[in-house]
Amino acid sequence: MLDTSILKQVSDVFAGLENDYVLDVRTDASRAESAELKAFVNDFVSTSAHLSANFTDTNDAQLSFSLLKGGQPVGITFRGVPNGHEFTSLLLAVLNADGKGKNLPDEAISRRIANLKGEIKLQTYVSLTCTNCPDVVQALNIVALANSRISSEMIDGGLFQEQIEAKNIQGVPAVYLNGEAFANGKIDTARLV
């Protein structure tokens, strides 16, 4: 699935990982993309001894995986196969969870994120060809890493077209907060908070 030169580059990037991560994958055999997601995840986790995968087949049209650190959810989920521009979002999710990523917020914004109250579920609908989408997904993933009451889910609108139509999404990235439209277009961490 992933090119060998890309796998080598990812392996080099992950050489300094210190913690163990599991991609907790949910697939549904009725979805043709399930085999693609499994192949993608298997290739991805082959890049480091600190990465592994757990696969669960369901009958609920799932096609997603969540990132676990030391066996515990970090609040980041990818629904779909994060290829294209979103591949970087996956790489940074692991690196940021390990404290080695980029674009981490400064101390003042980190405090504001930590002080957010209540359960917050963020969903970002993306297109894998969208150039602005990864910036938003990465910012929301950082927010989720900074506050255990917040979750961030990237959703590939191309694979979940029925949701795009039901929500009448006209452009991406489209961010939903606890099921309600929240933001559309490019937005940074400070503005999101």
Side-chain angles (χ1 to χ4, degrees):
M1 168 98 213
L2 291 172
D3 182 89
T4 53
S5 64
I6 291 174
L7 290 173
K8 171 68 172 105
Q9 291 173 23
V10 173
S11 183
D12 291 345
V13 168
F14 285 160
L17 287 179
E18 297 174 12
N19 297 282
D20 291 328
Y21 297 92
V22 175
L23 274 59
D24 190 23
V25 184
R26 295 174 53 85
T27 59
D28 183 338
S30 70
R31 293 204 59 143
E33 303 87 2
S34 288
E36 180 184 354
L37 179 60
K38 288 178 180 178
F40 174 88
V41 168
N42 280 323
D43 283 353
F44 186 78
V45 300
S46 75
T47 62
S48 173
H50 289 282
L51 297 173
S52 63
N54 177 44
F55 295 93
T56 303
D57 287 314
T58 70
N59 60 358
D60 58 3
Q62 284 297 310
L63 189 65
S64 67
F65 63 91
S66 297
L67 181 63
L68 310 180
K69 177 181 179 179
Q72 299 301 312
V74 300
I76 297 173
T77 300
F78 292 87
R79 196 159 7 137
V81 182
N83 273 326
H85 294 293
E86 290 303 335
F87 188 68
T88 303
S89 297
L90 174 57
L91 289 175
L92 283 174
V94 174
L95 290 172
N96 287 339
D98 212 52
K100 295 172 177 48
K102 65 172 198 166
N103 299 331
L104 297 171
D106 63 31
E107 190 175 320
I109 292 178
S110 293
R111 272 195 312 272
R112 288 175 60 197
I113 294 169
N115 288 328
L116 293 172
K117 305 294 183 212
E119 296 295 317
I120 299 171
K121 180 180 180 182
L122 298 162
Q123 297 175 297
T124 308
Y125 289 87
V126 304
S127 164
L128 298 182
T129 59
C130 168
T131 56
N132 289 325
C133 293
D135 292 337
V136 173
V137 170
Q138 291 162 25
L140 295 176
N141 286 350
I142 287 171
V143 170
L145 288 170
N147 186 323
S148 62
R149 293 179 304 277
I150 300 173
S151 64
S152 172
E153 180 179 40
M154 180 224 76
I155 302 168
D156 178 359
L159 293 180
F160 296 93
Q161 195 63 43
E162 70 285 353
Q163 292 178 29
I164 295 290
E165 292 169 7
K167 293 179 182 300
N168 196 29
I169 295 173
Q170 300 296 313
V172 292
V175 179
Y176 282 72
L177 169 67
N178 295 337
E180 300 295 325
F182 177 66
N184 204 306
K186 191 170 182 169
I187 188 167
D188 63 21
T189 307
R191 283 185 49 216
L192 285 166
V193 174

